[in-house]
Amino acid sequence: MRAAVVVFPGSNCDRDLAVAFEAAGCQVDMVWHKDSELPQGIDIVGVPGGFSYGDYLRCGAIAAQSPIVKSVKAHAERGGYVMGICNGFQVLTETGLLPGALLRNAGLKYICKTVGLRVETAQSAYTEGYAVGDVIDIPIAHHDGNYFADADTIARLQGEDRVAFTYMDNPNGAQADIAGILSQNRRVLGMMPHPERAADAGHGGTDGQALFRALAGALSTA
């Protein structure tokens, strides 16, 4: 599998994401936000966490207009895989690749801790390494992680089995406890928690490893 990790001014999880991809057996290209095209042969694009463009205007809003994102959207529209984590999830909602928006946390405070996530579907390349109902420990670190969408969108996500993860103990007020969602073709994942920070035993946990390993396995046979 060949992965591209997009780097924006203010990204701070790009290296963590690249290391997690590499540990799963991927070749990784780091792609600068001012580039206009992804490298040839990319299987998945990772949009990392951080504070792209300082979170000015609205989290992810400026990054969604950067030159490389047009190529990321085209990649997704061709059926390519895209994973946005934390700020990356915010960017994907701003581009329209995923529905909804990420609002200020209900408590109006930045939250940084490990939380329990319930796996809601195993029917995606990202989650097939888990079983439905598994509870995994994954770190969060966000100020604007409160997932919001209208009632029809929430019902559609649930009805189409597109909720990937939910919080066991909702830390931010997210509707329906949503921590991560999938696109209609199940190839775009957005999630607020950081699986790349739970992919190395030396960093305190390995519950995120299964996501990267399953993804690499699925794409190697695609």
mmCIF file of all heavy atoms in Angstrom, residues 37-90:
data_model
loop_
_atom_site.group_PDB
_atom_site.id
_atom_site.type_symbol
_atom_site.label_atom_id
_atom_site.label_comp_id
_atom_site.label_asym_id
_atom_site.label_seq_id
_atom_site.Cartn_x
_atom_site.Cartn_y
_atom_site.Cartn_z
ATOM 1 N N GLU A 37 -0.885 18.364 -6.917
ATOM 2 C CA GLU A 37 -1.222 16.995 -7.311
ATOM 3 C C GLU A 37 -0.642 16.005 -6.305
ATOM 4 O O GLU A 37 0.463 16.196 -5.799
ATOM 5 C CB GLU A 37 -0.648 16.670 -8.701
ATOM 6 C CG GLU A 37 -1.222 17.496 -9.834
ATOM 7 C CD GLU A 37 -2.675 17.182 -10.122
ATOM 8 O OE1 GLU A 37 -3.121 16.063 -9.771
ATOM 9 O OE2 GLU A 37 -3.354 18.048 -10.712
ATOM 10 N N LEU A 38 -1.401 14.946 -6.057
ATOM 11 C CA LEU A 38 -0.870 13.835 -5.277
ATOM 12 C C LEU A 38 0.136 13.058 -6.114
ATOM 13 O O LEU A 38 0.029 13.034 -7.343
ATOM 14 C CB LEU A 38 -2.005 12.896 -4.858
ATOM 15 C CG LEU A 38 -3.021 13.432 -3.854
ATOM 16 C CD1 LEU A 38 -4.212 12.482 -3.769
ATOM 17 C CD2 LEU A 38 -2.384 13.611 -2.478
ATOM 18 N N PRO A 39 1.103 12.392 -5.481
ATOM 19 C CA PRO A 39 2.005 11.518 -6.239
ATOM 20 C C PRO A 39 1.221 10.414 -6.940
ATOM 21 O O PRO A 39 0.143 10.008 -6.490
ATOM 22 C CB PRO A 39 2.917 10.937 -5.152
ATOM 23 C CG PRO A 39 2.836 11.908 -4.019
ATOM 24 C CD PRO A 39 1.451 12.457 -4.052
ATOM 25 N N GLN A 40 1.758 9.911 -8.014
ATOM 26 C CA GLN A 40 1.119 8.827 -8.751
ATOM 27 C C GLN A 40 1.119 7.548 -7.907
ATOM 28 O O GLN A 40 2.047 7.284 -7.153
ATOM 29 C CB GLN A 40 1.868 8.570 -10.060
ATOM 30 C CG GLN A 40 1.748 9.696 -11.072
ATOM 31 C CD GLN A 40 0.321 9.855 -11.586
ATOM 32 O OE1 GLN A 40 -0.352 8.878 -11.895
ATOM 33 N NE2 GLN A 40 -0.132 11.102 -11.674
ATOM 34 N N GLY A 41 0.056 6.770 -8.040
ATOM 35 C CA GLY A 41 0.012 5.458 -7.412
ATOM 36 C C GLY A 41 -0.392 5.449 -5.955
ATOM 37 O O GLY A 41 -0.217 4.436 -5.267
ATOM 38 N N ILE A 42 -0.959 6.544 -5.468
ATOM 39 C CA ILE A 42 -1.374 6.607 -4.060
ATOM 40 C C ILE A 42 -2.655 5.798 -3.858
ATOM 41 O O ILE A 42 -3.622 5.926 -4.618
ATOM 42 C CB ILE A 42 -1.590 8.070 -3.627
ATOM 43 C CG1 ILE A 42 -0.254 8.820 -3.609
ATOM 44 C CG2 ILE A 42 -2.277 8.151 -2.265
ATOM 45 C CD1 ILE A 42 0.763 8.294 -2.630
ATOM 46 N N ASP A 43 -2.663 4.966 -2.807
ATOM 47 C CA ASP A 43 -3.849 4.184 -2.458
ATOM 48 C C ASP A 43 -4.730 4.897 -1.448
ATOM 49 O O ASP A 43 -5.954 4.833 -1.524
ATOM 50 C CB ASP A 43 -3.439 2.826 -1.877
ATOM 51 C CG ASP A 43 -2.679 1.981 -2.871
ATOM 52 O OD1 ASP A 43 -3.256 1.672 -3.929
ATOM 53 O OD2 ASP A 43 -1.507 1.647 -2.604
ATOM 54 N N ILE A 44 -4.086 5.545 -0.474
ATOM 55 C CA ILE A 44 -4.847 6.227 0.572
ATOM 56 C C ILE A 44 -4.180 7.545 0.906
ATOM 57 O O ILE A 44 -2.948 7.649 0.910
ATOM 58 C CB ILE A 44 -4.991 5.362 1.841
ATOM 59 C CG1 ILE A 44 -5.819 6.116 2.894
ATOM 60 C CG2 ILE A 44 -3.638 4.925 2.394
ATOM 61 C CD1 ILE A 44 -6.321 5.275 4.021
ATOM 62 N N VAL A 45 -5.008 8.545 1.196
ATOM 63 C CA VAL A 45 -4.523 9.846 1.648
ATOM 64 C C VAL A 45 -4.890 9.996 3.123
ATOM 65 O O VAL A 45 -6.050 9.789 3.508
ATOM 66 C CB VAL A 45 -5.142 10.995 0.841
ATOM 67 C CG1 VAL A 45 -4.631 12.339 1.365
ATOM 68 C CG2 VAL A 45 -4.830 10.843 -0.641
ATOM 69 N N GLY A 46 -3.914 10.346 3.941
ATOM 70 C CA GLY A 46 -4.167 10.651 5.343
ATOM 71 C C GLY A 46 -4.143 12.148 5.566
ATOM 72 O O GLY A 46 -3.189 12.827 5.173
ATOM 73 N N VAL A 47 -5.211 12.666 6.152
ATOM 74 C CA VAL A 47 -5.287 14.088 6.506
ATOM 75 C C VAL A 47 -5.145 14.148 8.020
ATOM 76 O O VAL A 47 -6.044 13.719 8.750
ATOM 77 C CB VAL A 47 -6.606 14.727 6.037
ATOM 78 C CG1 VAL A 47 -6.581 16.232 6.262
ATOM 79 C CG2 VAL A 47 -6.863 14.419 4.565
ATOM 80 N N PRO A 48 -4.013 14.647 8.529
ATOM 81 C CA PRO A 48 -3.681 14.458 9.940
ATOM 82 C C PRO A 48 -4.296 15.481 10.871
ATOM 83 O O PRO A 48 -4.881 16.484 10.452
ATOM 84 C CB PRO A 48 -2.152 14.606 9.930
ATOM 85 C CG PRO A 48 -1.910 15.619 8.861
ATOM 86 C CD PRO A 48 -2.929 15.306 7.785
ATOM 87 N N GLY A 49 -4.107 15.214 12.154
ATOM 88 C CA GLY A 49 -4.554 16.144 13.183
ATOM 89 C C GLY A 49 -3.594 17.311 13.343
ATOM 90 O O GLY A 49 -2.506 17.344 12.781
ATOM 91 N N GLY A 50 -4.030 18.270 14.134
ATOM 92 C CA GLY A 50 -3.252 19.472 14.392
ATOM 93 C C GLY A 50 -4.144 20.689 14.372
ATOM 94 O O GLY A 50 -5.331 20.626 14.722
ATOM 95 N N PHE A 51 -3.578 21.790 13.954
ATOM 96 C CA PHE A 51 -4.308 23.069 13.932
ATOM 97 C C PHE A 51 -3.991 23.761 12.606
ATOM 98 O O PHE A 51 -3.300 24.775 12.567
ATOM 99 C CB PHE A 51 -3.897 23.933 15.125
ATOM 100 C CG PHE A 51 -4.081 23.254 16.449
ATOM 101 C CD1 PHE A 51 -3.056 22.501 17.001
ATOM 102 C CD2 PHE A 51 -5.289 23.326 17.115
ATOM 103 C CE1 PHE A 51 -3.231 21.848 18.219
ATOM 104 C CE2 PHE A 51 -5.477 22.673 18.324
ATOM 105 C CZ PHE A 51 -4.441 21.932 18.880
ATOM 106 N N SER A 52 -4.479 23.176 11.513
ATOM 107 C CA SER A 52 -4.148 23.698 10.187
ATOM 108 C C SER A 52 -4.507 25.179 10.087
ATOM 109 O O SER A 52 -5.598 25.598 10.450
ATOM 110 C CB SER A 52 -4.868 22.894 9.100
ATOM 111 O OG SER A 52 -6.268 22.931 9.264
ATOM 112 N N TYR A 53 -3.517 25.942 9.612
ATOM 113 C CA TYR A 53 -3.688 27.398 9.481
ATOM 114 C C TYR A 53 -4.111 28.037 10.799
ATOM 115 O O TYR A 53 -4.820 29.061 10.821
ATOM 116 C CB TYR A 53 -4.693 27.738 8.379
ATOM 117 C CG TYR A 53 -4.240 27.323 7.005
ATOM 118 C CD1 TYR A 53 -4.571 26.062 6.506
ATOM 119 C CD2 TYR A 53 -3.472 28.166 6.211
ATOM 120 C CE1 TYR A 53 -4.149 25.654 5.251
ATOM 121 C CE2 TYR A 53 -3.040 27.760 4.951
ATOM 122 C CZ TYR A 53 -3.380 26.508 4.483
ATOM 123 O OH TYR A 53 -2.954 26.108 3.233
ATOM 124 N N GLY A 54 -3.690 27.443 11.919
ATOM 125 C CA GLY A 54 -3.989 28.002 13.235
ATOM 126 C C GLY A 54 -5.449 27.932 13.626
ATOM 127 O O GLY A 54 -5.863 28.561 14.595
ATOM 128 N N ASP A 55 -6.246 27.134 12.896
ATOM 129 C CA ASP A 55 -7.693 27.060 13.149
ATOM 130 C C ASP A 55 -8.374 28.425 13.016
ATOM 131 O O ASP A 55 -9.429 28.668 13.611
ATOM 132 C CB ASP A 55 -8.005 26.459 14.530
ATOM 133 C CG ASP A 55 -7.923 24.948 14.539
ATOM 134 O OD1 ASP A 55 -7.862 24.348 13.450
ATOM 135 O OD2 ASP A 55 -7.928 24.359 15.629
ATOM 136 N N TYR A 56 -7.767 29.304 12.225
ATOM 137 C CA TYR A 56 -8.411 30.594 11.989
ATOM 138 C C TYR A 56 -9.662 30.413 11.135
ATOM 139 O O TYR A 56 -9.776 29.464 10.378
ATOM 140 C CB TYR A 56 -7.441 31.562 11.305
ATOM 141 C CG TYR A 56 -6.335 32.025 12.218
ATOM 142 C CD1 TYR A 56 -5.022 31.628 12.001
ATOM 143 C CD2 TYR A 56 -6.606 32.845 13.318
ATOM 144 C CE1 TYR A 56 -4.003 32.043 12.843
ATOM 145 C CE2 TYR A 56 -5.603 33.264 14.168
ATOM 146 C CZ TYR A 56 -4.298 32.854 13.925
ATOM 147 O OH TYR A 56 -3.291 33.258 14.772
ATOM 148 N N LEU A 57 -10.581 31.346 11.260
ATOM 149 C CA LEU A 57 -11.874 31.361 10.574
ATOM 150 C C LEU A 57 -12.773 30.281 11.134
ATOM 151 O O LEU A 57 -13.764 30.552 11.786
ATOM 152 C CB LEU A 57 -11.705 31.212 9.057
ATOM 153 C CG LEU A 57 -12.985 31.212 8.245
ATOM 154 C CD1 LEU A 57 -13.706 32.551 8.400
ATOM 155 C CD2 LEU A 57 -12.694 30.963 6.765
ATOM 156 N N ARG A 58 -12.401 29.014 10.906
ATOM 157 C CA ARG A 58 -13.160 27.870 11.413
ATOM 158 C C ARG A 58 -12.265 26.646 11.202
ATOM 159 O O ARG A 58 -11.588 26.543 10.181
ATOM 160 C CB ARG A 58 -14.473 27.725 10.644
ATOM 161 C CG ARG A 58 -15.436 26.711 11.188
ATOM 162 C CD ARG A 58 -16.775 26.777 10.437
ATOM 163 N NE ARG A 58 -16.632 26.534 9.006
ATOM 164 C CZ ARG A 58 -16.818 27.453 8.060
ATOM 165 N NH1 ARG A 58 -17.155 28.683 8.395
ATOM 166 N NH2 ARG A 58 -16.665 27.149 6.785
ATOM 167 N N CYS A 59 -12.268 25.731 12.155
ATOM 168 C CA CYS A 59 -11.352 24.588 12.081
ATOM 169 C C CYS A 59 -11.501 23.852 10.751
ATOM 170 O O CYS A 59 -12.589 23.392 10.419
ATOM 171 C CB CYS A 59 -11.613 23.616 13.224
ATOM 172 S SG CYS A 59 -11.293 24.296 14.845
ATOM 173 N N GLY A 60 -10.422 23.765 9.998
ATOM 174 C CA GLY A 60 -10.419 23.031 8.738
ATOM 175 C C GLY A 60 -10.884 23.827 7.534
ATOM 176 O O GLY A 60 -10.732 23.368 6.397
ATOM 177 N N ALA A 61 -11.456 25.008 7.759
ATOM 178 C CA ALA A 61 -12.073 25.743 6.649
ATOM 179 C C ALA A 61 -11.041 26.254 5.650
ATOM 180 O O ALA A 61 -11.251 26.171 4.431
ATOM 181 C CB ALA A 61 -12.901 26.911 7.191
ATOM 182 N N ILE A 62 -9.923 26.782 6.139
ATOM 183 C CA ILE A 62 -8.904 27.297 5.221
ATOM 184 C C ILE A 62 -8.176 26.137 4.560
ATOM 185 O O ILE A 62 -7.916 26.153 3.345
ATOM 186 C CB ILE A 62 -7.927 28.223 5.964
ATOM 187 C CG1 ILE A 62 -8.683 29.416 6.559
ATOM 188 C CG2 ILE A 62 -6.827 28.704 5.013
ATOM 189 C CD1 ILE A 62 -7.817 30.345 7.394
ATOM 190 N N ALA A 63 -7.869 25.096 5.329
ATOM 191 C CA ALA A 63 -7.193 23.928 4.753
ATOM 192 C C ALA A 63 -8.007 23.314 3.624
ATOM 193 O O ALA A 63 -7.442 22.828 2.637
ATOM 194 C CB ALA A 63 -6.941 22.882 5.846
ATOM 195 N N ALA A 64 -9.322 23.348 3.760
ATOM 196 C CA ALA A 64 -10.183 22.762 2.725
ATOM 197 C C ALA A 64 -10.063 23.485 1.390
ATOM 198 O O ALA A 64 -10.449 22.933 0.351
ATOM 199 C CB ALA A 64 -11.637 22.777 3.191
ATOM 200 N N GLN A 65 -9.516 24.700 1.414
ATOM 201 C CA GLN A 65 -9.346 25.472 0.174
ATOM 202 C C GLN A 65 -7.911 25.424 -0.343
ATOM 203 O O GLN A 65 -7.587 26.095 -1.322
ATOM 204 C CB GLN A 65 -9.749 26.934 0.423
ATOM 205 C CG GLN A 65 -11.163 27.119 0.950
ATOM 206 C CD GLN A 65 -12.211 26.518 0.039
ATOM 207 O OE1 GLN A 65 -12.141 26.688 -1.171
ATOM 208 N NE2 GLN A 65 -13.181 25.815 0.610
ATOM 209 N N SER A 66 -7.036 24.665 0.294
ATOM 210 C CA SER A 66 -5.634 24.632 -0.119
ATOM 211 C C SER A 66 -5.480 23.887 -1.443
ATOM 212 O O SER A 66 -6.328 23.066 -1.807
ATOM 213 C CB SER A 66 -4.778 23.979 0.968
ATOM 214 O OG SER A 66 -5.133 22.627 1.127
ATOM 215 N N PRO A 67 -4.406 24.137 -2.183
ATOM 216 C CA PRO A 67 -4.260 23.528 -3.511
ATOM 217 C C PRO A 67 -4.338 22.002 -3.524
ATOM 218 O O PRO A 67 -4.968 21.420 -4.411
ATOM 219 C CB PRO A 67 -2.875 24.015 -3.954
ATOM 220 C CG PRO A 67 -2.699 25.326 -3.251
ATOM 221 C CD PRO A 67 -3.347 25.144 -1.913
ATOM 222 N N ILE A 68 -3.728 21.335 -2.542
ATOM 223 C CA ILE A 68 -3.685 19.879 -2.593
ATOM 224 C C ILE A 68 -5.052 19.244 -2.372
ATOM 225 O O ILE A 68 -5.312 18.128 -2.842
ATOM 226 C CB ILE A 68 -2.679 19.326 -1.543
ATOM 227 C CG1 ILE A 68 -2.361 17.846 -1.815
ATOM 228 C CG2 ILE A 68 -3.199 19.517 -0.125
ATOM 229 C CD1 ILE A 68 -1.766 17.563 -3.152
ATOM 230 N N VAL A 69 -5.954 19.949 -1.696
ATOM 231 C CA VAL A 69 -7.232 19.334 -1.354
ATOM 232 C C VAL A 69 -8.088 19.074 -2.589
ATOM 233 O O VAL A 69 -8.865 18.113 -2.621
ATOM 234 C CB VAL A 69 -7.982 20.172 -0.293
ATOM 235 C CG1 VAL A 69 -9.418 19.700 -0.113
ATOM 236 C CG2 VAL A 69 -7.245 20.077 1.043
ATOM 237 N N LYS A 70 -7.939 19.867 -3.627
ATOM 238 C CA LYS A 70 -8.662 19.577 -4.871
ATOM 239 C C LYS A 70 -8.273 18.200 -5.397
ATOM 240 O O LYS A 70 -9.119 17.421 -5.850
ATOM 241 C CB LYS A 70 -8.372 20.651 -5.919
ATOM 242 C CG LYS A 70 -9.118 20.437 -7.229
ATOM 243 C CD LYS A 70 -8.806 21.532 -8.245
ATOM 244 C CE LYS A 70 -9.369 22.860 -7.824
ATOM 245 N NZ LYS A 70 -9.192 23.897 -8.888
ATOM 246 N N SER A 71 -6.978 17.869 -5.306
ATOM 247 C CA SER A 71 -6.503 16.557 -5.735
ATOM 248 C C SER A 71 -6.985 15.452 -4.789
ATOM 249 O O SER A 71 -7.307 14.343 -5.226
ATOM 250 C CB SER A 71 -4.978 16.554 -5.818
ATOM 251 O OG SER A 71 -4.498 15.346 -6.358
ATOM 252 N N VAL A 72 -7.048 15.754 -3.497
ATOM 253 C CA VAL A 72 -7.569 14.772 -2.522
ATOM 254 C C VAL A 72 -9.036 14.471 -2.814
ATOM 255 O O VAL A 72 -9.459 13.308 -2.802
ATOM 256 C CB VAL A 72 -7.397 15.296 -1.083
ATOM 257 C CG1 VAL A 72 -8.070 14.352 -0.078
ATOM 258 C CG2 VAL A 72 -5.916 15.449 -0.736
ATOM 259 N N LYS A 73 -9.817 15.499 -3.105
ATOM 260 C CA LYS A 73 -11.230 15.288 -3.437
ATOM 261 C C LYS A 73 -11.370 14.462 -4.712
ATOM 262 O O LYS A 73 -12.215 13.558 -4.788
ATOM 263 C CB LYS A 73 -11.937 16.639 -3.603
ATOM 264 C CG LYS A 73 -12.133 17.404 -2.310
ATOM 265 C CD LYS A 73 -12.846 18.731 -2.540
ATOM 266 C CE LYS A 73 -14.279 18.536 -2.953
ATOM 267 N NZ LYS A 73 -14.994 19.834 -3.103
ATOM 268 N N ALA A 74 -10.552 14.757 -5.713
ATOM 269 C CA ALA A 74 -10.614 13.986 -6.955
ATOM 270 C C ALA A 74 -10.253 12.525 -6.704
ATOM 271 O O ALA A 74 -10.875 11.610 -7.266
ATOM 272 C CB ALA A 74 -9.676 14.601 -7.992
ATOM 273 N N HIS A 75 -9.261 12.299 -5.844
ATOM 274 C CA HIS A 75 -8.867 10.936 -5.464
ATOM 275 C C HIS A 75 -10.054 10.205 -4.834
ATOM 276 O O HIS A 75 -10.354 9.055 -5.189
ATOM 277 C CB HIS A 75 -7.688 11.011 -4.496
ATOM 278 C CG HIS A 75 -7.297 9.705 -3.880
ATOM 279 N ND1 HIS A 75 -6.543 8.760 -4.534
ATOM 280 C CD2 HIS A 75 -7.559 9.195 -2.644
ATOM 281 C CE1 HIS A 75 -6.355 7.719 -3.745
ATOM 282 N NE2 HIS A 75 -6.952 7.956 -2.597
ATOM 283 N N ALA A 76 -10.743 10.871 -3.916
ATOM 284 C CA ALA A 76 -11.902 10.252 -3.259
ATOM 285 C C ALA A 76 -13.030 9.991 -4.253
ATOM 286 O O ALA A 76 -13.677 8.937 -4.215
ATOM 287 C CB ALA A 76 -12.400 11.146 -2.126
ATOM 288 N N GLU A 77 -13.250 10.937 -5.142
ATOM 289 C CA GLU A 77 -14.339 10.792 -6.114
ATOM 290 C C GLU A 77 -14.067 9.690 -7.126
ATOM 291 O O GLU A 77 -15.002 9.142 -7.714
ATOM 292 C CB GLU A 77 -14.581 12.142 -6.798
ATOM 293 C CG GLU A 77 -15.228 13.156 -5.860
ATOM 294 C CD GLU A 77 -15.109 14.592 -6.335
ATOM 295 O OE1 GLU A 77 -14.490 14.814 -7.411
ATOM 296 O OE2 GLU A 77 -15.600 15.491 -5.625
ATOM 297 N N ARG A 78 -12.782 9.326 -7.301
ATOM 298 C CA ARG A 78 -12.429 8.187 -8.147
ATOM 299 C C ARG A 78 -12.548 6.860 -7.411
ATOM 300 O O ARG A 78 -12.304 5.799 -7.990
ATOM 301 C CB ARG A 78 -10.986 8.331 -8.657
ATOM 302 C CG ARG A 78 -10.751 9.441 -9.656
ATOM 303 C CD ARG A 78 -9.366 9.298 -10.310
ATOM 304 N NE ARG A 78 -8.284 9.376 -9.342
ATOM 305 C CZ ARG A 78 -7.660 10.504 -9.007
ATOM 306 N NH1 ARG A 78 -8.019 11.654 -9.568
ATOM 307 N NH2 ARG A 78 -6.677 10.491 -8.131
ATOM 308 N N GLY A 79 -12.915 6.908 -6.154
ATOM 309 C CA GLY A 79 -13.019 5.688 -5.357
ATOM 310 C C GLY A 79 -11.805 5.415 -4.504
ATOM 311 O O GLY A 79 -11.693 4.337 -3.914
ATOM 312 N N GLY A 80 -10.887 6.388 -4.410
ATOM 313 C CA GLY A 80 -9.716 6.228 -3.564
ATOM 314 C C GLY A 80 -10.068 6.363 -2.094
ATOM 315 O O GLY A 80 -11.116 6.896 -1.731
ATOM 316 N N TYR A 81 -9.168 5.893 -1.249
ATOM 317 C CA TYR A 81 -9.377 5.930 0.193
ATOM 318 C C TYR A 81 -8.792 7.215 0.779
ATOM 319 O O TYR A 81 -7.711 7.659 0.385
ATOM 320 C CB TYR A 81 -8.721 4.716 0.859
ATOM 321 C CG TYR A 81 -9.459 3.420 0.612
ATOM 322 C CD1 TYR A 81 -9.304 2.731 -0.587
ATOM 323 C CD2 TYR A 81 -10.318 2.895 1.567
ATOM 324 C CE1 TYR A 81 -9.977 1.540 -0.829
ATOM 325 C CE2 TYR A 81 -11.000 1.704 1.331
ATOM 326 C CZ TYR A 81 -10.831 1.038 0.141
ATOM 327 O OH TYR A 81 -11.513 -0.135 -0.097
ATOM 328 N N VAL A 82 -9.522 7.786 1.742
ATOM 329 C CA VAL A 82 -9.068 8.981 2.450
ATOM 330 C C VAL A 82 -9.434 8.813 3.922
ATOM 331 O O VAL A 82 -10.567 8.435 4.238
ATOM 332 C CB VAL A 82 -9.729 10.271 1.909
ATOM 333 C CG1 VAL A 82 -9.232 11.491 2.680
ATOM 334 C CG2 VAL A 82 -9.474 10.438 0.410
ATOM 335 N N MET A 83 -8.479 9.104 4.795
ATOM 336 C CA MET A 83 -8.740 9.053 6.237
ATOM 337 C C MET A 83 -8.367 10.385 6.853
ATOM 338 O O MET A 83 -7.233 10.842 6.721
ATOM 339 C CB MET A 83 -7.936 7.928 6.899
ATOM 340 C CG MET A 83 -8.101 7.887 8.405
ATOM 341 S SD MET A 83 -7.428 6.377 9.173
ATOM 342 C CE MET A 83 -5.715 6.482 8.692
ATOM 343 N N GLY A 84 -9.326 11.023 7.518
ATOM 344 C CA GLY A 84 -9.080 12.278 8.211
ATOM 345 C C GLY A 84 -9.221 12.081 9.702
ATOM 346 O O GLY A 84 -10.250 11.585 10.174
ATOM 347 N N ILE A 85 -8.197 12.472 10.448
ATOM 348 C CA ILE A 85 -8.173 12.282 11.894
ATOM 349 C C ILE A 85 -8.158 13.636 12.584
ATOM 350 O O ILE A 85 -7.322 14.493 12.270
ATOM 351 C CB ILE A 85 -6.947 11.460 12.317
ATOM 352 C CG1 ILE A 85 -6.980 10.069 11.677
ATOM 353 C CG2 ILE A 85 -6.873 11.345 13.835
ATOM 354 C CD1 ILE A 85 -5.698 9.276 11.861
ATOM 355 N N CYS A 86 -9.081 13.848 13.506
ATOM 356 C CA CYS A 86 -9.179 15.059 14.316
ATOM 357 C C CYS A 86 -9.318 16.280 13.401
ATOM 358 O O CYS A 86 -10.339 16.448 12.751
ATOM 359 C CB CYS A 86 -7.987 15.164 15.267
ATOM 360 S SG CYS A 86 -8.267 16.318 16.630
ATOM 361 N N ASN A 87 -8.307 17.132 13.300
ATOM 362 C CA ASN A 87 -8.394 18.262 12.377
ATOM 363 C C ASN A 87 -8.645 17.792 10.957
ATOM 364 O O ASN A 87 -9.329 18.459 10.169
ATOM 365 C CB ASN A 87 -7.103 19.085 12.452
ATOM 366 C CG ASN A 87 -7.151 20.382 11.678
ATOM 367 O OD1 ASN A 87 -6.256 20.666 10.890
ATOM 368 N ND2 ASN A 87 -8.168 21.193 11.896
ATOM 369 N N GLY A 88 -8.128 16.600 10.616
ATOM 370 C CA GLY A 88 -8.397 16.024 9.296
ATOM 371 C C GLY A 88 -9.863 15.715 9.086
ATOM 372 O O GLY A 88 -10.389 15.865 7.972
ATOM 373 N N PHE A 89 -10.557 15.277 10.134
ATOM 374 C CA PHE A 89 -12.005 15.050 10.067
ATOM 375 C C PHE A 89 -12.703 16.373 9.807
ATOM 376 O O PHE A 89 -13.614 16.479 8.966
ATOM 377 C CB PHE A 89 -12.466 14.422 11.380
ATOM 378 C CG PHE A 89 -13.905 13.966 11.427
ATOM 379 C CD1 PHE A 89 -14.716 13.914 10.310
ATOM 380 C CD2 PHE A 89 -14.455 13.554 12.641
ATOM 381 C CE1 PHE A 89 -16.039 13.481 10.380
ATOM 382 C CE2 PHE A 89 -15.762 13.116 12.728
ATOM 383 C CZ PHE A 89 -16.564 13.090 11.603
ATOM 384 N N GLN A 90 -12.267 17.417 10.492
ATOM 385 C CA GLN A 90 -12.848 18.743 10.273
ATOM 386 C C GLN A 90 -12.658 19.190 8.820
ATOM 387 O O GLN A 90 -13.570 19.734 8.202
ATOM 388 C CB GLN A 90 -12.204 19.740 11.244
ATOM 389 C CG GLN A 90 -12.518 19.448 12.702
ATOM 390 C CD GLN A 90 -11.563 20.132 13.667
ATOM 391 O OE1 GLN A 90 -10.492 20.607 13.283
ATOM 392 N NE2 GLN A 90 -11.944 20.178 14.934
#
